[in-house]
Amino acid sequence: MSDSLPLWAAIPIIVLLVLSGLLCLIGGLGMLRLHNFYQRIHAPAMISTFGAFGCLFCSMLFFSLTEQRLVVHELLIVGILLFTAPVTAMMLMRAVVAGDRRAGRPHTPPPPASLTEALPSAEHSDD
C-alpha cells in the first residue's frame, strides 16, 4: 500500500472538498442572514446536504485509491441523508406553519385552495 496519492487524484479531491466546504459555509451564512424561518429552512436543508454529499464522495474516492479496493461504506450515509434530510425538513416546516396559523401570526403562508374548499365551514354546518 502506497502512502502517497497520485496528483491526478489529489487535485479533484481537494477541489471537491473545498467546494463542499464552501457550500456548507454558505448554508451556515444563510441561516444567519435570512430574515424568517421560512427563508432560513432552505439554506441548511439544501446547500449543506449537497456539501455533505461532496465530502462523502471525496472520502469514497480517497479511500478507494489509497486502499486499492472499492470502498462504498459512504453510500449508506448518502442513502440515509437522501431519505431523511428532505423528510425532516418538510416535517419541521409543516409543524411551524401549523403553529403559526393557530397563533394567527402575520406572514404565515395561506393554506392551499384545495384544502380550504374541502374543509367544512362553520357557517354551513347542520349542527
Side-chain angles (χ1 to χ4, degrees):
M1 180 164 92
S2 175
D3 289 338
S4 65
L5 191 65
L7 187 63
W8 63 267
I11 291 175
I13 290 173
I14 291 169
V15 169
L16 192 55
L17 277 176
V18 169
L19 289 175
S20 299
L22 287 174
L23 283 173
C24 291
L25 180 67
I26 290 169
L29 290 175
M31 288 192 62
L32 294 174
R33 300 278 303 166
L34 296 173
H35 302 292
N36 60 28
F37 173 80
Y38 302 108
Q39 294 172 346
R40 280 188 200 126
I41 192 68
H42 296 289
M46 297 298 295
I47 295 175
S48 298
T49 303
F50 290 135
F53 287 163
C55 289
L56 290 169
F57 180 72
C58 286
S59 176
M60 283 176 48
L61 186 59
F62 176 79
F63 287 109
S64 291
L65 291 172
T66 56
E67 295 183 14
Q68 297 175 349
R69 65 181 178 89
L70 189 61
V71 177
V72 292
H73 301 104
E74 289 84 355
L75 288 178
L76 179 64
I77 300 170
V78 168
I80 291 170
L81 274 176
L82 190 63
F83 288 116
T84 59
V87 171
T88 54
M90 186 171 44
M91 290 178 71
L92 182 62
M93 286 185 273
R94 286 185 179 186
V96 170
V97 167
D100 284 352
R101 284 184 187 150
R102 268 189 249 115
R105 292 192 179 102
H107 307 296
T108 302
S114 61
L115 182 62
T116 56
E117 292 169 1
L119 292 175
S121 64
E123 300 169 359
H124 298 94
S125 65
D126 293 332
D127 294 325

